[in-house]
């Protein structure tokens, strides 16, 4: 395994990042796992991230503190109610300004320091709640930026941002996680947990998660306070 390539995986604790990192491992990569404690609404997803990093055998898991509540601007980092009315067509208030740009930049810094050239993020362009930083155009632009912004890039070494779920629906992601033999119940998706550590069942993320399991024909292991 020491001769296998090393990848820095962004592990949020969610279903998508879990399956994306597991896909990279299945393709022969060793993993460094990065989670960001950005002072989000709850810490449950970070507990899930720790479980997932351990499950996937990450060689090192860093939970990096970065208080994005100092900026606010999102229902996840400010005193703004998480919407519960269903998934809409507009960019929702759960969008955290420039979050994936910030998080991938942190992954890039660790990758260059660790002499890795591969980054992994669980974005997908189909069931993605309208977030602009989940699009293929964003990922391609970030790779171009990395080539300009790093010593390794200037010296001709290319960083690659792997997005194995990019063109998958949530149902496809559930099927892929099942194929990989993952315990998908270890992941956490809810933006606004209900008492007792339950998924609320009503936020966009819960609705997309439940819809994915239903359409995949896979039993949903998630405990919801309200059935989506």
């Amino acid at each position: 395994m020491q001769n296998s390539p090393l990848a820095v995986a962004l592990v949020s604790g969610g279903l998508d990042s879990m399956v994306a990192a597991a896909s990279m491992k299945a393709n022969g990569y060793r993993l460094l796992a990065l989670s960001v404690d950005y002072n989000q609404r709850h810490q449950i997803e970070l507990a899930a991230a720790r479980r997932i990093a351990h499950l996937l055998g990450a060689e090192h898991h860093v939970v990096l503190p970065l208080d994005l509540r100092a900026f606010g601007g999102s229902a996840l980092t400010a005193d703004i109610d998480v919407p519960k009315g269903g998934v809409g067509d507009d960019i929702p208030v759960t969008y955290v300004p420039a979050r994936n740009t910030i998080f991938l930049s942190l992954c890039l810094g660790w990758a260059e320091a660790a002499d890795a050239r591969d980054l992994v993020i669980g974005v997908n362009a189909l069931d993605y709640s309208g977030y602009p930083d989940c699009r293929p155009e964003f990922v391609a632009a970030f790779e171009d930026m990395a080539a300009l912004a790093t010593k390794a890039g200037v010296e001709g070494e290319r960083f690659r941002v792997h997005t194995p779920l990019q063109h998958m629906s949530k149902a496809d992601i559930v099927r892929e996680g099942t194929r990989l033999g993952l315990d998908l119940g270890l992941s956490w998706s809810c933006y606004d947990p209900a008492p007792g550590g339950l998924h609320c069942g009503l936020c966009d993320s819960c609705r997309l998660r439940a819809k994915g399991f239903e359409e995949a024909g896979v039993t949903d292991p998630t405990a919801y306070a309200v059935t989506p």
Side-chain angles (χ1 to χ4, degrees):
M1 284 294 292
Q2 290 304 313
N3 293 325
S4 301
L6 186 63
V8 177
L10 189 60
V11 177
S12 68
L15 176 65
D16 295 353
S17 68
M18 180 189 200
V19 176
S23 176
M24 291 295 288
K25 182 181 179 183
N27 284 320
Y29 284 84
R30 297 150 49 215
L31 298 178
L32 298 175
L34 177 65
S35 305
V36 182
D37 181 355
Y38 59 97
N39 206 2
Q40 54 267 60
R41 292 181 70 96
H42 60 83
Q43 295 287 303
I44 298 176
E45 68 180 21
L46 291 174
R50 292 183 179 93
R51 293 194 297 267
I52 291 166
H54 177 74
L55 173 74
L56 297 180
E59 295 187 6
H60 191 33
H61 180 210
V62 169
V63 179
L64 195 69
L66 180 67
D67 186 5
L68 293 184
R69 275 192 175 268
F71 297 162
S74 166
L76 303 189
T77 58
D79 294 328
I80 301 170
D81 290 339
V82 172
K84 302 289 182 70
V87 181
D89 295 325
D90 297 329
I91 297 173
V93 295
T94 50
Y95 163 72
V96 178
R99 180 173 59 180
N100 282 347
T101 306
I102 295 166
F103 289 2
L104 275 178
S105 296
L106 297 172
C107 288
L108 177 63
W110 192 9
E112 188 171 29
D115 200 26
R117 298 295 177 261
D118 296 278
L119 286 64
V120 189
I121 186 170
V123 297
N124 67 90
L126 297 178
D127 292 339
Y128 70 112
S129 294
Y131 295 156
D133 52 1
C134 289
R135 297 175 298 168
E137 299 93 328
F138 162 73
V139 173
F142 189 91
E143 288 183 333
D144 289 341
M145 181 277 296
L148 297 172
T150 59
K151 177 177 182 290
V154 169
E155 292 176 348
E157 297 186 44
R158 186 80 178 177
F159 288 91
R160 183 179 176 194
V161 179
H162 296 261
T163 57
L165 315 184
Q166 183 73 79
H167 300 292
M168 291 186 182
S169 68
K170 195 67 74 176
D172 294 332
I173 293 167
V174 170
R175 293 187 192 101
E176 178 64 6
T178 302
R179 184 188 72 80
L180 291 169
L182 300 175
D183 179 357
L184 301 180
L186 295 177
S187 65
W188 182 270
S189 298
C190 184
Y191 291 145
D192 191 21
L198 302 177
H199 282 64
C200 75
L202 297 177
C203 70
D204 288 2
S205 189
C206 280
R207 292 175 188 271
L208 289 171
R209 180 184 178 101
K211 178 172 175 279
F213 277 100
E214 181 180 4
E215 292 183 350
V218 174
T219 300
D220 189 348
T222 313
Y224 297 102
V226 177
T227 302

